[in-house]
Structures are given as structure tokens and as C-alpha cells.
Amino acid sequence: SDYDATSLAFFGELSRPLGARTTLTGGLRWEQRAAEFGTTFSPRDDLLGGDLSLTHRPRESVSLWARVARGFKAGGFNASLVGVPGAEDQLEFGPEYLWNYEVGTRLQSGDGRAAASLSVFYQDRDDLQIKVPRQFVPGDPTTFLFATTNGESGHTAGLELEGNWQPLEPLTLGA
């Protein structure tokens, strides 16, 4: 088989101070992805993502931030399904998009030897790519395969806590 994938992307980011301790940052990414699998598949996706964040530093050792971002994952094809009876409509799958919303804080000790961060996030996924097991021909175990397909939507929410401490110069502990 002959496989080839090419991506062309442009990314830009701008930061603007809104005061002595507050910064607004925005970024934008455009990507065009083209893939080929012999003469069987040639999907092409034009993808657009980016982010907007606001950071405020009330003190030198404290940072508060909020961020909204849109990410993506290109579509593709299930090459393992080529020639499998009943799999013709599942050969290709589309791109996935994700909206991420998060707020958080970062704290650092005065001597820089300890730091902690806490963030809360919510993610909203559209056309999510999932692997689905399926028996394409009942009674034929050789047609039991996993195929990537697009689901409708998915959501994730969470809390993330991170910390590190450097008790000695050559040793840093993190969790």
C-alpha cells in the first residue's frame, strides 16, 4: 500500500497588555491536511482553531488566568476495512473539534523552590472520533474489526492540581 499525508499550517499569536498586571493573548491556527492511501482514499480537511486567554498577576508570586480554546483533529480513513464486505460506508471519518474552557491560578514561593497550580476545565467535543468494534459479516470472525467513526458529541469536566518542590538543588519533587 502507498500512504502519504501532507499538512500545511499557519499560526499567529498576539499579546496585549491591559494594564501593569493584566495581559490578553489571542492565537489563531489554520491547517490544511491532505492524505492519500493509494487511489482508494484522498480526504482533505481545512481546519481552524485558536485561543483567547486573560492573565492577571495580582502579586509577583500569584497568577490568575482564564482561557477559551478551539482545537481540532483531522479526519482520516480506516484502511483495515478496505475489501471487507459491509464496511463500505465506514471507510472514511471526518474531523473532530473541541472547545475548551478553563480557569486557574498559579502560586510560587518567594525563593522559587515551590510552586502549585489549580485549574478547572470543561470541554465540549463535536463529531468526536471514536473506535467502535463491529462484526461486519455475522458468523465470520475474520470480519470483526475496530473502526474509527464520528460520534455526535461528548463532554469532559475536571479539576487539575499540580505542585512541585525543590528541597535540594539537584532534587525536585512533583505531583
Side-chain angles (χ1 to χ4, degrees), residues 99-137:
W99 280 99
N100 184 62
Y101 310 91
E102 56 188 307
V103 294
T105 185
R106 291 184 187 95
L107 309 167
Q108 186 170 346
S109 65
D111 63 2
R113 296 176 70 119
S117 64
L118 172 70
S119 65
V120 177
F121 62 89
Y122 177 79
Q123 298 174 333
D124 187 15
R125 296 168 61 187
D126 292 319
D127 301 319
L128 64 142
Q129 295 173 3
I130 53 176
K131 280 209 181 277
V132 178
R134 183 165 169 211
Q135 178 118 13
F136 290 94
V137 178

Coordinates of all heavy atoms in Angstrom, one line a residue, residues 99-137:
W99 N -14.0 22.4 22.0 CA -14.0 23.7 22.7 C -13.5 23.4 24.1 O -14.1 22.6 24.8 CB -15.4 24.4 22.7 CG -15.7 25.0 21.4 CD1 -16.4 24.5 20.3 CD2 -15.2 26.3 20.9 NE1 -16.5 25.5 19.3 CE2 -15.7 26.6 19.7 CE3 -14.4 27.3 21.5 CZ2 -15.5 27.7 18.9 CZ3 -14.2 28.5 20.8 CH2 -14.7 28.7 19.5
N100 N -12.6 24.2 24.6 CA -12.0 24.0 25.9 C -12.2 25.3 26.7 O -11.8 26.4 26.2 CB -10.6 23.6 25.9 CG -10.0 23.3 27.3 OD1 -10.5 22.4 28.0 ND2 -9.0 24.1 27.7
Y101 N -12.8 25.3 27.9 CA -12.9 26.4 28.7 C -12.3 26.1 30.1 O -12.5 25.1 30.7 CB -14.4 26.7 29.0 CG -15.3 26.7 27.7 CD1 -15.9 25.6 27.2 CD2 -15.4 27.9 27.0 CE1 -16.6 25.6 26.1 CE2 -16.2 27.9 25.8 CZ -16.8 26.8 25.4 OH -17.5 26.8 24.2
E102 N -11.4 27.0 30.5 CA -10.7 26.8 31.8 C -10.3 28.0 32.5 O -10.2 29.1 31.9 CB -9.4 25.9 31.5 CG -8.4 26.5 30.6 CD -7.3 25.5 30.2 OE1 -6.7 25.0 31.2 OE2 -7.1 25.3 29.0
V103 N -10.3 27.9 33.8 CA -9.8 29.0 34.7 C -8.9 28.4 35.7 O -9.0 27.2 36.1 CB -11.0 29.7 35.5 CG1 -11.9 30.4 34.5 CG2 -11.8 28.7 36.3
G104 N -7.9 29.2 36.2 CA -7.0 28.6 37.1 C -6.1 29.7 37.8 O -6.2 30.9 37.5
T105 N -5.3 29.2 38.7 CA -4.3 30.0 39.4 C -3.0 29.3 39.5 O -3.0 28.0 39.6 CB -4.9 30.4 40.8 OG1 -4.0 31.3 41.4 CG2 -5.1 29.2 41.7
R106 N -1.9 30.0 39.6 CA -0.6 29.5 39.8 C 0.0 30.3 41.0 O 0.0 31.5 41.0 CB 0.3 29.7 38.6 CG -0.1 28.8 37.4 CD 0.9 28.9 36.2 NE 0.4 28.2 35.1 CZ -0.3 28.7 34.1 NH1 -0.6 30.0 34.1 NH2 -0.7 28.0 33.1
L107 N 0.6 29.6 41.9 CA 1.3 30.2 43.0 C 2.7 29.7 43.1 O 3.0 28.6 42.7 CB 0.6 29.8 44.3 CG -0.9 29.9 44.4 CD1 -1.5 29.2 45.6 CD2 -1.3 31.4 44.5
Q108 N 3.6 30.6 43.5 CA 5.1 30.3 43.5 C 5.6 30.9 44.8 O 5.3 32.0 45.2 CB 5.8 30.8 42.3 CG 7.3 30.4 42.3 CD 7.9 30.7 40.9 OE1 7.2 31.0 40.0 NE2 9.2 30.6 40.9
S109 N 6.5 30.2 45.5 CA 7.1 30.7 46.7 C 8.1 31.8 46.3 O 8.6 31.9 45.2 CB 7.8 29.6 47.4 OG 8.9 29.0 46.7
G110 N 8.4 32.6 47.3 CA 9.3 33.7 47.0 C 10.7 33.3 46.6 O 11.3 34.0 45.8
D111 N 11.2 32.2 47.1 CA 12.5 31.7 46.6 C 12.5 30.9 45.4 O 13.5 30.4 44.9 CB 13.2 30.9 47.8 CG 12.4 29.7 48.2 OD1 11.4 29.4 47.6 OD2 12.9 29.0 49.1
G112 N 11.3 30.6 44.8 CA 11.1 29.9 43.6 C 11.3 28.4 43.7 O 11.4 27.6 42.8
R113 N 11.4 27.9 45.0 CA 11.6 26.4 45.2 C 10.3 25.6 45.3 O 10.4 24.4 45.3 CB 12.5 26.2 46.4 CG 13.9 26.8 46.2 CD 14.7 26.7 47.5 NE 15.1 25.4 47.7 CZ 16.3 24.9 47.8 NH1 17.3 25.7 47.6 NH2 16.5 23.6 48.0
A114 N 9.2 26.3 45.4 CA 7.9 25.6 45.5 C 6.9 26.3 44.6 O 6.9 27.5 44.5 CB 7.4 25.5 46.9
A115 N 6.1 25.5 44.0 CA 5.0 26.1 43.1 C 3.8 25.1 43.1 O 4.0 23.9 43.3 CB 5.5 26.3 41.7
A116 N 2.7 25.7 42.8 CA 1.4 24.9 42.7 C 0.5 25.6 41.7 O 0.5 26.8 41.6 CB 0.7 24.8 44.1
S117 N -0.3 24.8 41.1 CA -1.3 25.4 40.2 C -2.6 24.5 40.3 O -2.6 23.4 40.6 CB -0.8 25.4 38.7 OG -0.6 24.0 38.3
L118 N -3.7 25.2 40.1 CA -5.0 24.6 40.2 C -5.8 25.2 39.1 O -5.9 26.4 38.8 CB -5.7 25.0 41.5 CG -7.2 24.6 41.7 CD1 -7.3 23.1 41.8 CD2 -7.8 25.3 42.9
S119 N -6.5 24.3 38.3 CA -7.4 24.7 37.2 C -8.6 23.9 37.2 O -8.6 22.7 37.6 CB -6.6 24.6 35.9 OG -6.3 23.3 35.5
V120 N -9.7 24.5 36.7 CA -11.0 23.8 36.5 C -11.3 23.9 35.0 O -11.1 25.0 34.4 CB -12.1 24.5 37.3 CG1 -13.4 23.8 37.0 CG2 -11.7 24.5 38.8
F121 N -11.7 22.9 34.4 CA -11.9 22.9 32.9 C -13.2 22.2 32.5 O -13.8 21.4 33.3 CB -10.8 22.3 32.1 CG -10.5 20.8 32.4 CD1 -11.2 19.9 31.7 CD2 -9.7 20.4 33.4 CE1 -11.0 18.5 31.9 CE2 -9.4 19.1 33.7 CZ -10.1 18.1 32.9
Y122 N -13.7 22.6 31.4 CA -14.9 22.0 30.7 C -14.6 21.9 29.3 O -14.2 22.9 28.6 CB -16.2 22.8 31.0 CG -17.4 22.2 30.3 CD1 -18.1 21.1 30.8 CD2 -17.8 22.7 29.1 CE1 -19.2 20.6 30.2 CE2 -18.9 22.2 28.4 CZ -19.6 21.1 29.0 OH -20.6 20.5 28.3
Q123 N -14.8 20.7 28.7 CA -14.5 20.5 27.3 C -15.8 20.0 26.6 O -16.5 19.1 27.1 CB -13.4 19.5 27.1 CG -12.1 19.9 27.7 CD -11.0 18.8 27.6 OE1 -11.3 17.7 27.6 NE2 -9.8 19.3 27.6
D124 N -16.0 20.6 25.4 CA -17.2 20.2 24.6 C -16.7 19.8 23.2 O -16.1 20.5 22.5 CB -18.1 21.5 24.4 CG -19.4 21.2 23.7 OD1 -19.8 20.0 23.6 OD2 -20.1 22.1 23.3
R125 N -16.9 18.5 22.9 CA -16.4 17.9 21.7 C -17.5 17.7 20.7 O -18.5 17.1 21.0 CB -15.7 16.6 22.0 CG -14.4 16.7 22.8 CD -13.9 15.4 23.4 NE -13.5 14.5 22.3 CZ -13.2 13.3 22.6 NH1 -13.2 12.8 23.8 NH2 -12.8 12.5 21.6
D126 N -17.3 18.0 19.4 CA -18.2 17.8 18.3 C -17.6 16.9 17.3 O -16.4 16.9 17.0 CB -18.6 19.1 17.6 CG -19.3 20.1 18.5 OD1 -20.2 19.6 19.3 OD2 -19.0 21.3 18.5
D127 N -18.4 16.0 16.8 CA -18.0 15.0 15.8 C -16.8 14.2 16.3 O -15.9 13.9 15.6 CB -17.7 15.6 14.5 CG -18.8 16.4 13.9 OD1 -20.0 15.9 14.0 OD2 -18.6 17.5 13.4
L128 N -16.9 13.8 17.6 CA -15.7 13.1 18.2 C -15.4 11.8 17.5 O -16.3 11.1 17.1 CB -15.9 12.9 19.7 CG -17.0 12.0 20.2 CD1 -16.5 11.2 21.4 CD2 -18.2 12.9 20.7
Q129 N -14.1 11.5 17.4 CA -13.6 10.3 16.7 C -13.6 9.2 17.8 O -12.9 9.4 18.8 CB -12.3 10.6 16.1 CG -12.3 11.6 15.0 CD -10.9 11.9 14.5 OE1 -9.9 11.4 14.9 NE2 -10.9 12.9 13.5
I130 N -14.2 8.1 17.5 CA -14.3 7.0 18.5 C -14.0 5.7 17.7 O -14.3 5.6 16.6 CB -15.6 6.9 19.3 CG1 -16.8 6.9 18.3 CG2 -15.7 8.1 20.2 CD1 -18.1 6.7 18.9
K131 N -13.4 4.8 18.4 CA -13.1 3.4 17.8 C -14.3 2.5 18.3 O -14.6 2.4 19.4 CB -11.8 2.8 18.3 CG -10.6 3.4 17.6 CD -9.6 2.3 17.6 CE -8.3 2.8 16.9 NZ -8.4 2.6 15.5
V132 N -14.9 1.9 17.3 CA -16.1 1.1 17.5 C -15.8 -0.3 17.0 O -15.4 -0.5 15.9 CB -17.3 1.7 16.8 CG1 -18.6 0.8 17.0 CG2 -17.6 3.1 17.3
P133 N -16.1 -1.4 17.9 CA -15.9 -2.7 17.4 C -17.2 -3.1 16.6 O -18.3 -2.8 17.0 CB -15.8 -3.5 18.6 CG -16.5 -2.8 19.7 CD -16.4 -1.3 19.3
R134 N -17.0 -3.9 15.5 CA -18.1 -4.3 14.8 C -17.8 -5.6 14.0 O -16.7 -5.8 13.5 CB -18.5 -3.2 13.8 CG -19.8 -3.6 13.0 CD -20.4 -2.4 12.3 NE -21.4 -2.9 11.4 CZ -21.7 -2.3 10.3 NH1 -21.1 -1.2 9.9 NH2 -22.6 -2.8 9.5
Q135 N -18.8 -6.5 14.0 CA -18.7 -7.7 13.1 C -19.4 -7.4 11.9 O -20.7 -7.3 11.9 CB -19.3 -8.9 13.8 CG -19.3 -10.1 13.0 CD -18.4 -11.2 13.7 OE1 -18.1 -11.1 14.8 NE2 -18.1 -12.3 12.9
F136 N -18.7 -7.2 10.8 CA -19.3 -6.8 9.5 C -20.1 -7.9 8.8 O -21.1 -7.6 8.1 CB -18.3 -6.2 8.6 CG -17.7 -4.9 9.1 CD1 -16.6 -4.8 9.8 CD2 -18.4 -3.7 8.8 CE1 -16.1 -3.6 10.3 CE2 -18.0 -2.5 9.3 CZ -16.8 -2.4 10.1
V137 N -19.7 -9.1 8.9 CA -20.4 -10.3 8.4 C -20.7 -11.2 9.5 O -19.8 -11.9 10.1 CB -19.6 -11.0 7.3 CG1 -20.4 -12.2 6.7 CG2 -19.2 -10.0 6.2

